[in-house]
Amino acid sequence: MPAELFMPFVMVLVAALLPLQLLPAMIWAERKVSAFIQDRTGPNRADILGIRLGGVIHSIADVVKLIAKEDMTPSKVNSFYYSLGPFLALFISLIPFSIIPLADTLKIGGAAIPLRAVTLDVGILFILAITSFHVYAVVFAGWASNNSFSLLGGLRSAAQMVSYELGLGLSLVGMIMVAQTLDLNEIVRQQGGTIFGILPAWNVFLQPLGFLIFVVSIFAETNRNPFDLPEGESEIIGFHVEYSSMRFAFFFMGEYIAIIGGSAVVATLFLGGWQVPFFDTEMLRENAMLAARIAFGSTAALCVLLSIILMAYDKKLQALYTDKRRFEARVLLGIVVTLGAGAVGGLLFLPTLSSLGEQIVTAIVQNTFLVGKILLFCFFFIWVRWTLPRFRYDQLMNLGWKTLIPLALLNIFLTGVALVLFDRGA
Amino acid sequence: MGPLLFWILSAVAVGSALATIVQRSPLSSALTLTLCLVAVAGLFATLSADFLFVIQLLVYAGAVMVLVIYVIMLLNLGDRELKPLGLSRPRTFVSGLVGILLLALLARAQAGAAGISMGDVPDGFGGVRSIAGTLFTSYLYPFEIVSVLLMAALVGVVVLAMKRF
Amino acid sequence: MMIGVKKIGKPMDIKERSYLFEIARGMMTSIRHFIRNVLNQGAMPTLQYPEEKRVLPERFRGRHRLMQREDGTPRCVACFCCQTACPADCISIEATERDDEGEKVAARFDINILRCVFCGLCVEACPCDAIRMDTGMYELADTNRENLIYDLNTLLRH
């Protein structure tokens, strides 16, 4: 069966490319969302041949800047360990994607092809194990900088991550008790269907407390805003003060990929993963033609909407600019119209799908929903960052040890009681 | 693919274990030990012992070694504090003896394993369900006793770390 | 505890201590701003500066200019009032005699715009209304320092 042999490699590639492609979008979203929250317009200047895409080009400019900057290595530093920190930070944050199921398992000629890179029936534990490896990056970066401030910063961040790992693990126990499995695809599959006929049976509704603790712990694990002590350079120094150029960029990228990875884990464990609300896999496969039509139709509708927005934008550009930037909206309009025409063409000349085609359409629809959930949760990360102030270090430790861990234990207890009462255990 | 992975992982494991004992810098030793543990975890994975693989990563590589490295970094031994690698006579004798004993044990295990068929493992082998089943039925008492021991250690740490009693 | 924490004000009650409600309120505020700005980007106060420019108030103090009489000669009589009044010491005048009536006139009148603080005291001090700051020019950047010391001709031409 050749498909079984090459699919893992394809999936590894997909799993690595998904976060790396979301990364520039994430950085753009961070800037743009923060700007809008603070009543600013955000980046909109960098352009390639007048195409600015509302500031997306700034991500490319960033890359050029970071590569072109001087790559400093402090004196009396073991350069192997010094480089190991950023390398680990990026590499380890990419690993969890290998285990996220991107869509339901394909069945081709009797062989089941899972749409994830690594099939492991202890997926949750694997994610926790990989999360604990992040500490290495932080500790090595702090120690190898040969600077007492960054050493202290590294120890501080490492202690934070180790502390919140406990909350992270314990918050999942209640969910595992309900799911009775550690396999991620199985957990996602159980989140199909509905509770009381109205809510999708996502774990976030079954385990609200566990979800809350998990989200807070994920924020702390990824060193994200309410807990981003390394970022507070004016008051407290983090582990990456000595880094510059691409080695700093590795930390930066690692942080954002960890955010995307955290979102993917939250989406998989609590928000139904690839489940389309109210439609399970079988129903999607039966109605694959309809699903494909809806997909093409909504793409076309989106293109029409975008064209209207672009036409209004074009008027504004014509009034504002005299140089090549004023043609931007027209170029984009051309692309959008082509896309829309393609979607309409697809809608009109859609061939009858074979069984394999139905499965592939289903997988694409499911994967779209998964990526949508990931993006929504990434937005939540950004939203929180530009709203909340930073915790003080003792407050952070108090929250982790004295609030989240007891709450997680309470959650386990409540889940157990509920399981006994409603007899879903046994 | 299986044999190739086995040879690669074993080579990494043995090589990093050797590097652990011959290196002078404690941090390099700790790092190579971590590499060794990860390689052994990989060997577990090829033996379809998924649970053991993840636990090896989670507990040894992820938690214990982090603590070890933490301590090494806080001590921050410079070149002056480190004694040169050298073997005193009693140390050579003891380590040689232990090595020979270990080899003998391995040889014996190898001889004992000769008769066992290396066929396919049953479905669900090495997964959480089978291990949990064994742990909570046949080995319940040892398991509980170990957890009591761990609890005692935890309480001991809290008592030692507390400033006021 | 390692860190001494000083408690200020009344202790928080259980609702405030759980942070959740206050966090939700804060989040609602920021998302309100976000949605409003996404839907109506034109309403944001930001100007796209080099293309769009702010309408200046009438009394905006921009770059100086020197006034001329009807016959085109400078009004300045080289009284040094502006140079004396200038707190930044950016005006330097050299006087010379005027050919016809024996009145003084500025031979050189340099304003070092790099030092100028745009306070307008020179305009206040001038007895002949010879110097004004009503050009509305504020984009005075240059790549060369010499170009930023404006001489008599530049100031007259404005």
Side-chain angles (χ1 to χ4, degrees):
Chain A
M1 204 41 74
E4 277 177 75
L5 278 181
F6 74 74
M7 271 314 272
F9 294 99
V10 174
M11 290 315 297
V12 166
L13 202 64
V14 171
L17 285 183
L18 178 73
L20 288 175
Q21 296 205 324
L22 285 177
L23 180 66
M26 182 73 191
I27 292 170
W28 169 76
E30 177 95 79
R31 292 193 173 134
K32 213 67 181 172
V33 171
S34 71
F36 282 150
I37 283 176
Q38 297 168 349
D39 292 349
R40 297 180 283 117
T41 48
N44 63 356
R45 286 285 149 180
D47 67 308
I48 294 176
L49 299 175
I51 307 288
R52 298 178 297 169
L53 297 172
V56 177
I57 304 299
H58 275 263
S59 297
I60 298 172
D62 262 350
V63 174
V64 174
K65 179 197 81 171
L66 285 166
I67 289 177
K69 274 176 113 173
E70 187 189 355
D71 193 5
M72 293 263 291
T73 308
S75 60
K76 294 184 183 173
V77 150
N78 183 332
S79 75
F80 174 70
Y81 293 131
Y82 186 66
S83 306
L84 190 67
F87 166 74
L88 282 178
L90 182 61
F91 177 69
I92 289 170
S93 56
L94 275 171
I95 295 180
F97 287 93
S98 62
I99 203 146
I100 304 287
L102 299 175
D104 204 357
T105 309
L106 293 183
K107 288 191 183 63
I108 302 175
I113 293 177
L115 287 180
R116 50 180 164 162
V118 179
T119 316
L120 201 63
D121 61 358
V122 284
I124 294 178
L125 289 180
F126 183 69
I127 286 174
L128 290 178
I130 292 305
T131 320
S132 63
F133 271 73
H134 271 290
V135 181
Y136 281 107
V138 170
V139 166
F140 270 104
W143 180 80
S145 299
N146 201 12
N147 171 342
S148 22
F149 291 108
S150 50
L151 176 64
L152 286 176
L155 293 180
R156 194 163 44 226
S157 295
Q160 169 188 342
M161 288 162 103
V162 170
S163 315
Y164 276 83
E165 247 163 48
L166 293 173
L168 199 72
L170 284 176
S171 67
L172 288 177
V173 174
M175 197 210 76
I176 296 168
M177 282 160 76
V178 176
Q180 307 226 331
T181 176
L182 295 170
D183 184 76
L184 288 178
N185 202 33
E186 192 53 42
I187 287 171
V188 173
R189 202 171 286 155
Q190 283 175 5
Q191 294 179 61
T194 51
I195 326 170
F196 311 128
I198 33 166
L199 283 176
W202 294 350
N203 280 329
V204 58
F205 301 118
L206 292 173
Q207 290 278 324
L209 188 57
F211 175 70
L212 191 71
I213 298 162
F214 188 77
V215 166
V216 174
S217 307
I218 274 279
F219 271 84
E221 279 296 315
T222 50
N223 279 329
R224 217 17 213 195
N225 180 265
F227 313 104
D228 62 343
L229 295 170
E231 297 285 325
E233 276 164 3
S234 51
E235 64 266 19
I236 199 164
I237 295 183
F239 55 89
H240 50 52
V241 267
E242 294 283 0
Y243 285 88
S244 59
S245 183
M246 240 7 231
R247 281 192 274 208
F248 173 74
F250 268 38
F251 279 117
F252 191 65
M253 284 153 69
E255 186 193 324
Y256 277 94
I257 289 175
I259 289 164
I260 301 168
S263 306
V265 171
V266 171
T268 305
L269 294 180
F270 286 98
L271 301 178
W274 43 255
Q275 289 281 1
V276 181
F278 311 114
F279 292 95
D280 56 20
T281 310
E282 280 67 39
M283 215 192 290
L284 274 176
R285 283 189 181 151
E286 279 162 25
N287 301 316
M289 283 295 285
L290 186 66
R293 285 211 181 95
I294 291 175
F296 277 125
S298 51
T299 312
L302 197 69
C303 285
V304 171
L305 186 72
L306 267 177
S307 318
I308 294 169
I309 292 172
L310 279 174
M311 276 189 234
Y313 183 51
D314 185 50
K315 251 180 224 149
K316 205 173 121 196
L317 285 183
Q318 298 297 332
L320 205 55
Y321 299 115
T322 50
D323 56 356
K324 55 189 184 317
R325 279 179 289 184
R326 59 198 251 254
F327 301 115
E328 184 194 6
R330 292 178 189 176
V331 174
L332 293 182
L333 192 65
I335 295 170
V336 168
V337 166
T338 319
L339 254 178
V344 171
L347 194 58
L348 291 179
F349 303 107
L350 192 65
T352 317
L353 292 168
S354 64
S355 158
L356 179 63
E358 280 176 2
Q359 293 197 19
I360 288 174
V361 168
T362 310
I364 290 173
V365 171
Q366 286 176 338
N367 192 17
T368 311
F369 269 78
L370 174 66
V371 173
K373 284 168 189 172
I374 292 174
L375 288 180
L376 268 182
F377 208 78
C378 286
F379 176 78
F380 181 73
F381 264 100
I382 298 172
W383 180 14
V384 166
R385 171 163 181 191
W386 298 98
T387 306
L388 299 184
R390 192 174 289 140
F391 273 97
R392 217 195 307 131
Y393 192 64
D394 61 320
Q395 291 172 330
L396 179 146
M397 280 298 174
N398 275 346
L399 182 73
W401 287 99
K402 294 187 188 165
T403 311
L404 290 186
I405 291 176
L407 274 180
L409 292 174
L410 178 72
N411 183 43
I412 296 172
F413 175 70
L414 289 179
T415 311
V417 169
L419 282 179
V420 170
L421 285 183
F422 299 113
D423 197 30
R424 279 187 62 183
Chain B
M1 194 106 141
L4 184 69
L5 269 179
F6 172 78
W7 284 113
I8 294 173
L9 287 170
S10 322
V12 172
V14 172
S16 52
L18 267 178
T20 306
I21 52 171
V22 298
Q23 261 165 332
R24 211 164 133 258
S25 148
L27 193 72
S28 303
S29 289
L31 201 65
T32 42
L33 182 56
T34 313
L35 189 63
C36 176
L37 291 171
V38 171
V40 172
L43 283 176
F44 284 144
T46 57
L47 292 170
S48 70
D50 287 354
F51 184 71
L52 219 52
F53 157 64
V54 170
I55 289 300
Q56 170 95 357
L57 286 184
L58 189 65
V59 175
Y60 286 103
V64 174
M65 286 316 292
V66 166
L67 252 166
V68 170
I69 286 179
Y70 222 96
V71 171
I72 291 174
M73 284 179 176
L74 280 178
L75 291 178
N76 207 9
L77 297 171
D79 279 341
R80 266 173 301 156
E81 287 94 335
L82 294 174
K83 284 184 200 137
L85 269 186
L87 290 175
S88 59
R89 192 159 290 170
R91 200 184 279 176
T92 320
F93 179 70
V94 171
S95 38
L97 197 67
V98 169
I100 288 167
L101 280 177
L102 212 65
L103 265 179
L105 201 67
L106 274 176
R108 194 165 167 254
Q110 188 69 27
I116 300 171
S117 82
M118 297 289 188
D120 287 344
V121 291
D123 204 33
F125 173 84
V128 186
R129 206 169 281 274
S130 56
I131 285 182
T134 321
L135 209 57
F136 285 102
T137 51
S138 323
Y139 297 98
L140 182 61
Y141 286 115
F143 178 74
E144 290 296 335
I145 289 165
V146 167
S147 54
V148 167
L149 185 67
L150 283 175
M151 194 69 185
L154 266 177
V155 172
V157 167
V158 171
V159 167
L160 285 177
M162 250 189 341
K163 272 186 198 157
R164 293 183 300 268
F165 292 97
Chain C
M1 185 185 271
M2 303 273 282
I3 306 164
V5 181
K6 191 177 172 190
K7 296 272 191 312
I8 301 169
K10 69 174 171 60
M12 294 189 287
D13 60 15
I14 187 82
K15 193 179 138 198
E16 282 171 331
R17 232 183 0 216
S18 75
Y19 296 124
L20 285 177
F21 298 96
E22 300 300 315
I23 283 175
R25 270 180 53 201
M27 303 278 280
M28 287 325 288
T29 307
S30 49
I31 199 72
R32 211 162 48 232
H33 278 261
F34 177 76
I35 291 171
R36 198 180 62 207
N37 288 326
V38 167
L39 294 182
N40 191 2
Q41 292 195 33
M44 261 187 278
T46 314
L47 284 179
Q48 298 302 317
Y49 162 63
E51 291 86 20
E52 289 178 297
K53 279 177 186 162
R54 189 174 292 278
V55 180
L56 296 175
E58 222 170 285
R59 298 181 56 186
F60 178 83
R61 291 197 292 268
R63 209 202 74 185
H64 312 73
R65 66 169 171 148
L66 287 178
M67 305 300 290
Q68 301 171 354
R69 298 180 192 177
E70 282 86 44
D71 58 356
T73 52
R75 274 199 201 170
C76 178
V77 293
C79 67
F80 290 82
C81 281
C82 51
Q83 186 178 338
T84 315
C86 182
D89 202 13
C90 72
I91 303 175
S92 63
I93 304 170
E94 270 179 32
T96 185
E97 270 180 31
R98 200 183 163 96
D99 302 333
D100 43 0
E101 292 162 30
E103 213 178 31
K104 272 206 293 184
V105 72
R108 289 182 53 209
F109 193 105
D110 293 340
I111 293 184
N112 185 349
I113 210 76
L114 295 169
R115 302 194 62 149
C116 179
V117 293
F118 296 91
C119 61
L121 287 182
C122 49
V123 181
E124 302 281 328
C126 186
C128 328
D129 191 20
I131 186 167
R132 287 189 191 171
M133 295 181 79
D134 57 357
T135 54
M137 291 162 75
Y138 55 89
E139 292 161 316
L140 303 172
D142 205 303
T143 52
N144 192 347
R145 276 169 186 268
E146 276 83 59
N147 295 346
L148 289 164
I149 300 172
Y150 298 124
D151 61 7
L152 188 61
N153 284 332
T154 322
L155 291 167
L156 276 171
R157 246 188 295 121
H158 90 233

